[in-house]
Amino acid sequence: MKLSVPRRVPAVAALALAGLLATAAPAASADPAAGPQAPVSALAAPDIPLASVKAHLNQFQSIADSNGGNRAHGRPGYKASIDYVKAKLDAAGFTTSVQQFTSNGATGYNLVADWPGGDVNRTVMAGAHLDSVGSGAGINDNGSGSAAVLEAALAVSRAQLQPAKHLRFGWWGAEELGLVGSRYYVNNLPSTERSRIAGYLNFDMIGSPNPGYFVYDDDPVIEQTFKDYFAGLGVPTEIETEGDGRSDHASFKNAGIPVGGLFTGASRTKSSAQAQKWGGTAGQAFDRCYHSSCDTTSNISDTALDRNSDAIAHAIWTLSAGTTEPPGDLYENTADVAVPDAGAAVTSTVTVLGRSGNAPAALKVGVDIKHSWRGDLVVDLVAPDGTAFRLKNSSGSDSADNVITTYTVDASAEAANGDWKLRVQDVARYDTGYIDSWKLTF
Ligand code: DTR
Ligand code: CA
Ligand code: ZN
Ligand code: ZN
């Protein structure tokens, strides 16, 4: 049973779309065992060496130790952290810029680093807040995210990666004061620049000593990219439920930019069920040193930090890959689905992901149904929200064979992304057949 992957018109195996990636889901009633196709255009990301990430954490710890015990907004330890990260990126060939802002009467700094090349109209960003609270060095919160994003960026440089999409990295100031730095960055981007950001990946606390593995449930393509990675490790994930508004992704989400990210937990307590699947200690906080002076280099789970660092690299490589051509338009499923004689309706699914906005007013629905006496058949297109569009009614007198045609549907009220289904029912006895293939062209 052959499952197709979305193909561009002309049929090029391209998986990059306006925002991110698309994959065809197997037809639900065709071959449940067949899993989704891997994006053929994504290169494999390198392993991110845990030792390199921890070396950055050691630097952040030293900086705090030498600057009053913290790396907080407005304090010398924060600017020293910015200078450390910037120097690494400048040496690695990034185009860096430091953006100043004022908060609580003190100067704050954002660091933004662009990797030259790629389509700037489809910019993929990854970021982390670099500031700590005043009470400590902030190694998990958020040296962990800052160090992992830094090392992923350095891996891009080591690989001399040339992705289709442009890569940009950000380290934000004054997150602990209320997402001040990231909001300042987003709000001061011209709207044309904001619309060029295809997605923002946020990493805030990704090395908690009693870790959970949480994935933000925001943009479906970004979420699926992380879930696929952890599934490959055999590590179960949960949806991050306390994240909305709790970190810098909110600044981007509020501007309409697709977001996602990873989180290993803060002061909430790990449940028994979570300890069963992840290990660690039930009844104990994911990070007992959250916002405390004990958030030092000893407050890190190496396993969690390593897994999340590698997941970040996987997401950066995957989401920035793709063709250098404009988005793909055609989604097809060629799995055969038998239509039971005078029986229940069956469906075949294509999954559309990473497009923006609604489907077109002239959505093309190409069907190829092999069936004698086609008058038996009722055919519908079902949108992701369940709205059904009648494509063909039954008609006892139509004794011709097969339904091979293209319908045009006004789907402009329907969101483009999601599972679209072709639904076919044989409502009269004696003739049978099957869905051979069908496709949507946007
Ligand atoms: N606000 C973050 C920590 C935090 C708490 N809940 C979440 C959820 C998702 C990301 C981060 C967080 C901080 O203290 O920096
Ligand atoms: Ca690794
Ligand atoms: Zn914090
Ligand atoms: Zn944080």
Side-chain angles (χ1 to χ4, degrees), residues 43-66:
L43 303 170
D47 174 77
I48 299 298
L50 172 65
S52 302
V53 180
K54 295 194 73 169
H56 301 313
L57 295 185
N58 291 335
Q59 286 293 328
F60 294 147
Q61 182 69 61
S62 301
I63 288 169
D65 294 347
S66 316

Side-chain angles (χ1 to χ4, degrees), residues 29-343:
S29 47
D31 179 3
Q37 306 279 329
V40 294
S41 62
L43 303 170
D47 174 77
I48 299 298
L50 172 65
S52 302
V53 180
K54 295 194 73 169
H56 301 313
L57 295 185
N58 291 335
Q59 286 293 328
F60 294 147
Q61 182 69 61
S62 301
I63 288 169
D65 294 347
S66 316
N67 289 281
N70 67 68
R71 299 181 305 105
H73 165 74
R75 309 293 296 278
Y78 179 72
K79 183 62 169 60
S81 301
I82 284 278
D83 294 343
Y84 170 76
V85 176
K86 183 179 187 297
K88 289 287 185 184
L89 293 162
D90 287 338
F94 284 83
T95 305
T96 61
S97 63
V98 177
Q99 179 184 48
Q100 289 193 14
F101 59 88
T102 301
S103 181
N104 273 15
T107 301
Y109 305 89
N110 292 324
L111 171 63
V112 176
D114 284 273
W115 179 243
D119 180 0
V120 292
N121 293 307
R122 295 182 291 158
T123 294
V124 174
M125 282 194 77
H129 76 86
L130 186 55
D131 63 312
S132 75
V133 290
S135 53
I139 298 305
N140 185 37
D141 181 20
N142 184 40
S144 62
S146 297
V149 171
L150 171 58
E151 195 54 33
L154 297 178
V156 166
S157 173
R158 287 194 294 268
Q160 286 296 295
L161 189 65
Q162 296 300 317
K165 303 182 187 82
H166 182 70
L167 282 174
R168 180 175 299 153
F169 300 85
W171 289 265
W172 313 117
E175 186 272 348
E176 302 289 6
L177 280 69
L179 320 184
V180 175
S182 57
R183 187 166 52 243
Y184 184 87
Y185 171 76
V186 174
N187 292 350
N188 284 275
L189 270 181
S191 59
T192 51
E193 284 300 311
R194 275 202 296 271
S195 65
R196 289 176 167 156
I197 301 175
Y200 172 73
L201 314 179
N202 191 63
F203 305 101
D204 183 356
M205 300 181 72
I206 60 167
S208 304
N210 186 25
Y213 292 90
F214 299 100
V215 178
Y216 295 12
D217 61 335
D218 283 288
D219 178 77
V221 176
I222 300 173
E223 178 181 345
Q224 195 58 47
T225 302
F226 285 125
K227 282 179 171 174
D228 289 349
Y229 184 77
F230 281 99
L233 294 181
V235 174
T237 56
E238 287 186 9
I239 290 303
E240 165 37 53
T241 55
E242 65 169 300
D244 275 358
R246 293 292 303 267
S247 191
D248 294 303
H249 57 299
S251 302
F252 291 81
K253 185 174 183 177
N254 293 340
I257 294 167
V259 301
L262 299 172
F263 179 55
T264 48
S267 50
R268 277 190 181 175
T269 302
K270 181 180 279 186
S271 69
S272 306
Q274 289 171 328
Q276 278 291 328
K277 64 179 155 183
W278 289 327
T281 309
Q284 191 180 96
F286 295 105
D287 180 354
R288 285 186 295 181
C289 290
Y290 175 59
H291 284 187
S292 307
S293 60
C294 57
D295 187 3
T296 64
T297 46
S298 59
N299 186 48
I300 288 288
S301 157
D302 285 359
T303 302
L305 185 62
D306 189 22
R307 287 170 170 172
N308 284 314
S309 300
D310 292 335
I312 291 170
H314 169 77
I316 287 170
W317 257 253
T318 302
L319 296 172
S320 65
T323 64
T324 54
E325 296 173 59
D329 301 322
L330 185 147
Y331 304 78
E332 184 180 27
N333 197 326
T334 58
D336 297 353
V337 182
V339 181
D341 186 25

Side-chain angles (χ1 to χ4, degrees), residues 403-420:
V403 181
I404 302 172
T405 188
T406 297
Y407 300 96
T408 301
V409 171
D410 178 359
S412 55
E414 301 298 329
N417 290 334
D419 287 348
W420 291 79

